[in-house]
Amino acid sequence: GLADGFGAYFGTGKAPPPRPVGIRAVNGTSPCELTVSWTAVSGASSYRLYTIENVRPGYERAWDDGKIVRGTSVKLSNLTPGKVYAFQVAAMDKNGEGFPSPAVSVRVLSAGQKVEGLYLNAYDRRDSYVQEIDNDLGYAAEHGIALGSISADFYFDGATKDWIENGSMSLSNYAVVDYQAGKNSTEHH
């Protein structure tokens, strides 16, 4: 693609790997734990998992420095119950780190509670008309804040549309689905 062309022109070789798709964060069977997983990127040697802990107004873009992960899944434990977290992941190889995936948000399960909702990020469009100013891939934080404010005992998982499209997740497991589509229309300015 374009990044490979720039790499060849400037003598730096190939571009970093493309951004991962298919990220999801699902509460575990025990409180205070969840699993974040994503679809493998061809040629990636590792991934950097970015996190926003305790998503709240004013901190929607407060991504940490990331955690290096080998493989396409990580189980996180000892998380704060009832807090909303957001995640995105970037693939890495010898050419560097690629762009991050779309983000997902999740509210960590408390003891004795159950997951009722799903935040479904279907907004992945980037083209000559929809750029970072239109879609910075981070709207999951705002949706997480809104879902987290439904009630003190409303818990939700997060995923991108890829998991539904490939049949790995079912919407029927959730009473509420927040389907975020964004500016995926053909409106151009």
Side-chain angles (χ1 to χ4, degrees), residues 56 144 180:
R56 59 199 183 281
Q180 179 211 342

Side-chain angles (χ1 to χ4, degrees), residues 35-97:
T35 299
V36 181
S37 54
W38 52 91
T39 305
V41 172
S42 179
S45 56
S46 61
Y47 300 87
R48 188 181 309 269
L49 177 66
Y50 292 99
T51 305
I52 300 176
E53 293 187 33
N54 193 19
V55 174
R56 59 199 183 281
Y59 294 89
E60 295 91 345
R61 304 294 185 274
W63 297 103
D64 67 6
D65 292 332
K67 170 185 176 180
I68 303 297
V69 177
R70 308 253 183 244
T72 58
S73 180
V74 62
K75 185 175 183 177
L76 304 173
S77 56
N78 299 318
L79 300 173
T80 306
K83 296 294 182 190
V84 176
Y85 290 74
F87 300 96
Q88 62 183 9
V89 65
M92 300 169 66
D93 68 9
K94 65 181 179 178
N95 299 309
E97 180 175 330

